Amino acid sequence: MSTAVTEIPQDSRVHYLNVSYGVKSWLLTVDHKRIALLYLGSITFMFLVGGVAAVLMRIHLIEPAGALVQPETYNKLFSAHGIIMVFFFLVPSIPATLGNFLVPLMVGAKDLAFPKLNLLSWYIYVVGALFTLYAVISGGVDTGWTFYTPYSSTYSHSAVIPVAIGVFITGFSSILTGLNFIVTIHKMRAPGLTWFRLPLFIWSIYATSVIFILGTPVLAITIFLLGVERLFHVGIFDPAVGGDPLLFQHLFWFYSHPAVYIMILPGMGVVSELIAAFSRKRIYGYTMVAYSSFAIAIISFLVWGHHMFVTGQSIYAGLIFSVLSFLVAIPSAIKVFNWTATLYKGSISYEAPMLYALGFIGLFTMGGLTGLFLASLATDVHLSGTYFIVAHFHYIMVGGAVMAYMGGLHYWWPKITGRMYPDMWARVAAVIIFVGFNLTFFPQFMLGYLGMPRRYAVYPPEFQVFNVMSSAGASILGIGYLIPLVYFIWSMRYGPIAPANPWGAKGLEWTVPSPPPTDNFEETPIVTEEAYNYAPIPEGQHG
Amino acid sequence: MNAATHLFTSNLLAAASLPIHPPTASTIGQGVDYLYFFLTGITLFFTILIFSIIFYFMIKYHRRSEDEAPGFVGTSMTLEITWTLVPLAICAVLFVWASSLYFENSRPPNASMELFVVGKQWMWHIQHPEGPREIDELHVPVGVPVKLTMTSEDVIHDFSIPAFRIKKDVLPGRYSSIWFQATKTGIYHFYCAQYCGTDHARMIGWVYVMTAEDYAGWLSGGVRGESMAQSGERLFTQLGCITCHVADNNGRCPTLVGVFNHPVKLKDGRTVVADDAYLRNAIVNPNSMPLPNYAPLMPSFQGQINEEQLLQLIAYIKSLGPEERKSAGK
Amino acid sequence: MADLVAHGSGHDAAHDPAATHSHSPDLKHQFDNMTQQFEAGNLGMWVFLATEVLFFGGLFASYTVYRSLYLPGFEIGSHLLDVRFGATNTAVLICSSLTMALAIRAAQTGQRKAQVILLVLTMLLGAAFLGIKFTFEWRNDYLEHLVPGVDFLYRPEWGGNGPHVQLFFIFYFIMTSIHALHMIIGIGLLSVLTWMAARGRFSPDYYTPLEVSGLYWHFVDIVWIFLFPLLYLIGGRYGIGGGH
């Protein structure tokens, strides 16, 4: 490291971090910025737990007969990995950390509409997470994160109820967060900040919040019905007494498909911010990108049946879901093209956030295109239930969403903490993550096409080579994630003090000091310009 | 080299052909593969396109000085429309192609040979109508369309044969079916492809595709047992069905002669077809679809017989043609 | 960078005639004026009600699936319910929505005593609803062995299919329980509001908590308006299946 490891003198200004000290001032805060940090801590912890499960799985899969654990344990590992990563990491990640921190700043407000509700949402998250962790420790659940009936309702001898309670509770955290964002964005924008002057991050958070509001309650009732069936042995999903196991799947996927857009839309919003900032240009096709976020949110509610093409649902239902699944891909394609076009005649620099953003575009493109294989009915039959699916969604959720999350953390870190991290290490980590990620998940496409089913604790020997490749990649990926953990923590004490706008970027959040004061703005800003107003827009042109 | 390394290396060598393409051994396989290659081509094309453009822009427009100020670049609606319509067109082509393949692939040809599959944790029981039963193995003749009618004893499973490019979920309480026509003799994997509990990964087996002669030989070799219809007839007597369901329609219960696949008028006015699912339902849940003119006297046999026995009963009922009731099955 | 935003005055008092005092003691720190605060509270409750619609919606959707599959069984189950209690409860709830709306009106016109009386009346009506449900309907159902998971007993004289009738009762109990839970929460909210109203918290300038809770209460009422016919009135009471 180039900086000497001596403590830098503390900034004497009062800001949200040093305005008060002590555990109580954090646990009873209503400041959206502190709540964002509370979430950051809990989410990082859950990511590590889910990550450990993944490491154990990949070690186990080095051998066709399984190298590490019994099948029952393996089944619990992949279930824990999925449940924790989906519900306790990916769904809250960007909205609850970056969203909570930035939404008031980006709209020019002092806080969110309901600060106490915001704190409550964090506590709800923690309670839900504790239930789930308790379940994992007390033996785990072995149903997969999808909890299909009748296995989960009748046959599984594992901690289904505690996990179900944990997920049920945490759903309310999402609902409250989404509610807060919607009201804030509608009612608390600064004067002059019209809808089409908003940063694209806000557009995507808004679209995500709509999905939070409309989708999560359906998951809640689904899990509730599952719990009732398991506890009281009544036959809601049990065919022996007239119930329909597929009803569970319809209800489950009605939420869980939009949920995957909850996981990617905020990442797309972050990428818009990063591309604009690091090419010093307004996002090409701003209006189209904004509308695309909306289109994705709405169409996402209409495609859930593509998870059920081989379940025996009617062929006609399959056709409808297939058409809609193709349609939902179009707005994402529009975004990718617009981001790429933004680079044209820009002034591009390659700090770590930009590397993550560019990595996102590449990997999301690949992941999204492999979705076409699955929207296509005939190929989906062959690929459903195989590692192709696993590779597809990891390309989007890890290659996409997690990369965007990392990029956003790196971009706004100076604003959040007032410190800079060492950029060289950050770039190295970004490249390691990119390489490790591809090594881990590309071989899984091959495995899927060959027919290796997913959720297999043991497998036929001819699949071993690709499995070993994947596990080797996973070790590289793991190292890539640990490096930022180290330098981020280091930076909080030893990093150089950051100016208000270290990147020279546009946006209301960069007009306040780093870190911001508790009330964000000394006076409510009045907005007179378009977003990303790097170059003034000539008369008669639209951005 | 120590033992572990030796084992690893020999496994590696065994797989050293590094398979990237599964065997294609069914009539529909080729078509699915062409679609798959087209999709791969599109993926490669757009991935390379985006990656190259990004690289090119990254280099050409990299920041040369700190106060560089790029000029305004307006959005061209033409470009926006183009890159909306081109993906839309590609998706339209994919949808039509994939859906018509899917339609074709879901309709078994009329002359299909029918086999019966019952999945249960964690094994597959397969019954041939002529009688032979197999566990985790499926013997079929090459070049003949085969329809699999499947159900589960417990949780949802999925019967998957990658070499034939087919799979379908297997559900408790109902029948699902797939069909295939094998094009090459050989031995191919089948798997359970819907997570079903502890030994989901061990619920696998082998499809043996044989020439017609070899298949006939296999069918008649081994212990000569009953055909499915004969087993069904035996159950029909054992369980007492025969006391009510006599052929001459004596009024207490409807006759079953010729009932299979014919329309049945229900008490509430609807007309349904007496297919496999109807017959199964009638045995395990007899009063769910009451008939006019008959009191709901039939007891339920749920829990008294398993799915395989149900299939045998249904095979027997199917064999009751409109002529005199046969006492020997096929 | 400096011209990104023009700095204006802090609070936008000019647009809000109600905020003659720009720092009303009820103005929360994140809001600029009382109008914004009121509108935000309102929008927040509407958004929350949207989540509730989807929550009950999943339940209604499942109910619809099974009802369309097993109509005869559902009809039998529905006729086993006592429609008199259901109808009475419907009337009770509609009246409670009236008293709630009147309570808000009382706050808008500054009548403190009327607010309290009307809120108490609303609570009493809500409690009456729950009382009728728990002590008459559910107790009866328990005694007649109609509770699935406890000791549901199918009687052949009902006709139809036992499991389907049981499925009806599963949905009956789940739907009415969740509704009752929302009622209980509502009564809890009302008790807090009554206490606040008694202490003169509400005025024509500030009655946001009443407005917002009123929305919630009306919503719970509307859910019952849907539940009543879906559960109690399947197949009609006269003609098919006979009267009760």
Side-chain angles (χ1 to χ4, degrees), chain C residues 45-85:
Chain C
M45 180 48 81
W46 279 106
V47 171
F48 177 70
L49 292 181
T51 73
E52 293 274 58
V53 168
L54 268 298
F55 184 73
F56 278 99
L59 209 42
F60 278 84
S62 310
Y63 163 92
T64 306
V65 167
Y66 285 128
R67 173 180 165 153
S68 61
L69 283 174
Y70 307 136
L71 185 57
F74 270 47
E75 228 177 278
I76 291 168
S78 177
H79 288 190
L80 287 167
L81 297 175
D82 194 333
V83 75
R84 296 169 301 177
F85 288 133

Side-chain angles (χ1 to χ4, degrees), chain C residues 15-195:
Chain C
H15 290 233
D16 181 19
T20 45
H21 37 77
S22 54
H23 293 281
S24 155
D26 296 315
L27 182 68
K28 308 237 166 52
H29 82 278
Q30 68 269 21
F31 292 113
D32 289 333
N33 57 66
M34 295 300 286
T35 311
Q36 188 189 49
Q37 178 172 302
F38 180 78
E39 286 181 5
N42 240 307
L43 179 60
M45 180 48 81
W46 279 106
V47 171
F48 177 70
L49 292 181
T51 73
E52 293 274 58
V53 168
L54 268 298
F55 184 73
F56 278 99
L59 209 42
F60 278 84
S62 310
Y63 163 92
T64 306
V65 167
Y66 285 128
R67 173 180 165 153
S68 61
L69 283 174
Y70 307 136
L71 185 57
F74 270 47
E75 228 177 278
I76 291 168
S78 177
H79 288 190
L80 287 167
L81 297 175
D82 194 333
V83 75
R84 296 169 301 177
F85 288 133
T88 310
N89 265 344
T90 308
V92 163
L93 267 194
I94 293 179
C95 290
S96 76
S97 269
L98 173 64
T99 52
M100 185 74 210
L102 289 174
I104 294 174
R105 177 101 189 104
Q108 285 171 327
T109 54
Q111 302 166 276
R112 186 156 70 131
K113 214 161 110 180
Q115 282 174 49
V116 176
I117 293 173
L118 287 160
L119 285 172
V120 168
L121 265 177
T122 310
M123 279 200 291
L124 285 176
L125 288 166
F129 175 93
L130 291 173
I132 294 174
K133 178 152 287 299
F134 294 147
T135 60
F136 292 113
E137 290 193 272
W138 284 12
R139 194 170 156 273
N140 266 4
D141 292 332
Y142 173 70
L143 292 173
E144 289 177 25
H145 305 287
L146 290 175
V147 186
V150 174
D151 60 355
F152 186 84
L153 194 60
Y154 168 73
R155 283 174 237 273
E157 59 262 28
W158 295 342
N161 187 313
H164 298 168
V165 180
Q166 185 181 44
L167 209 43
F168 170 82
F169 276 98
I170 291 170
F171 276 91
Y172 169 75
F173 279 106
I174 292 179
M175 290 165 102
T176 52
S177 310
I178 295 183
H179 178 261
L181 178 64
H182 282 78
M183 289 285 304
I184 294 171
I185 293 172
I187 294 176
L189 277 177
L190 282 170
S191 52
V192 171
L193 289 175
T194 310
W195 179 77

Side-chain angles (χ1 to χ4, degrees), chain A residues 64-376:
Chain A
L68 199 62
V69 292
Q70 292 303 309
E72 202 173 316
T73 308
Y74 179 82
N75 297 339
K76 292 178 176 175
L77 281 174
F78 76 69
S79 303
H81 174 72
I83 292 166
I84 292 176
M85 288 306 204
V86 169
F87 294 118
F88 296 97
F89 174 65
L90 280 167
V91 162
S93 60
I94 295 177
T97 56
L98 298 174
N100 265 327
F101 194 92
L102 293 166
V103 168
L105 284 167
M106 285 184 169
V107 301
K110 295 192 204 74
D111 205 315
L112 289 176
F114 309 114
K116 290 191 201 137
L117 223 54
N118 199 10
L119 182 67
L120 178 66
S121 80
W122 180 71
Y123 276 106
I124 292 176
Y125 171 87
V126 170
V127 169
L130 287 174
F131 261 98
T132 306
L133 287 172
Y134 160 76
V136 168
I137 293 169
S138 72
V141 78
D142 71 343
T143 58
W145 81 279
T146 47
F147 296 106
Y148 277 9
T149 56
Y151 183 69
S152 63
S153 53
T154 314
Y155 289 82
S156 170
H157 301 295
S158 64
V160 176
I161 297 284
V163 172
I165 295 177
V167 173
F168 181 86
I169 292 175
T170 302
F172 290 101
S173 171
S174 297
I175 289 175
L176 292 178
T177 301
L179 193 159
N180 234 330
F181 286 154
I182 289 179
V183 177
T184 307
I185 295 172
H186 267 283
K187 293 292 176 188
M188 293 170 74
R189 281 169 287 123
L193 189 48
T194 57
W195 281 91
F196 287 96
R197 282 179 176 174
L198 284 168
L200 289 166
F201 180 70
I202 298 289
W203 276 96
S204 57
I205 288 282
Y206 186 86
T208 307
S209 302
V210 168
I211 307 180
F212 272 141
I213 295 299
L214 299 179
T216 318
V218 179
L219 178 74
I221 193 67
T222 308
I223 291 182
F224 179 81
L225 290 175
L226 174 64
V228 166
E229 169 129 354
R230 195 170 163 86
L231 278 175
F232 296 106
H233 308 290
V234 295
I236 305 171
F237 303 117
D238 182 358
V241 288
D244 188 348
L246 283 187
L247 177 63
F248 177 84
Q249 292 186 29
H250 281 290
L251 288 171
F252 177 82
W253 286 112
F254 186 83
Y255 162 74
S256 299
H257 186 81
V260 316
Y261 293 97
I262 288 177
M263 296 188 254
I264 197 62
L265 273 171
M268 292 171 155
V270 168
V271 167
S272 291
E273 300 298 315
L274 299 181
I275 298 286
F278 292 91
S279 9
R280 295 236 168 113
K281 268 189 79 221
R282 181 172 165 82
I283 290 285
Y284 195 90
Y286 169 98
T287 317
M288 292 298 278
V289 176
Y291 282 137
S292 295
S293 297
F294 249 83
I296 291 173
I298 292 171
I299 305 177
S300 75
F301 277 97
L302 305 174
V303 300
W304 78 89
H306 68 223
H307 299 271
M308 297 171 62
F309 283 149
V310 296
T311 57
Q313 71 182 1
S314 96
I315 298 183
Y316 302 102
L319 287 176
I320 296 174
F321 283 120
S322 173
V323 141
L324 288 163
S325 304
F326 278 111
L327 276 180
V328 82
I330 305 294
S332 297
I334 292 175
K335 288 195 184 204
V336 169
F337 293 129
N338 276 299
W339 288 321
T340 309
T342 307
L343 299 172
Y344 175 69
K345 290 196 172 162
S347 164
I348 305 175
S349 65
Y350 308 123
E351 286 93 333
M354 186 57 159
L355 293 183
Y356 281 112
L358 294 172
F360 174 101
I361 297 177
L363 297 177
F364 173 76
T365 301
M366 288 177 69
L369 287 168
T370 55
L372 295 179
F373 289 73
L374 305 173
S376 302

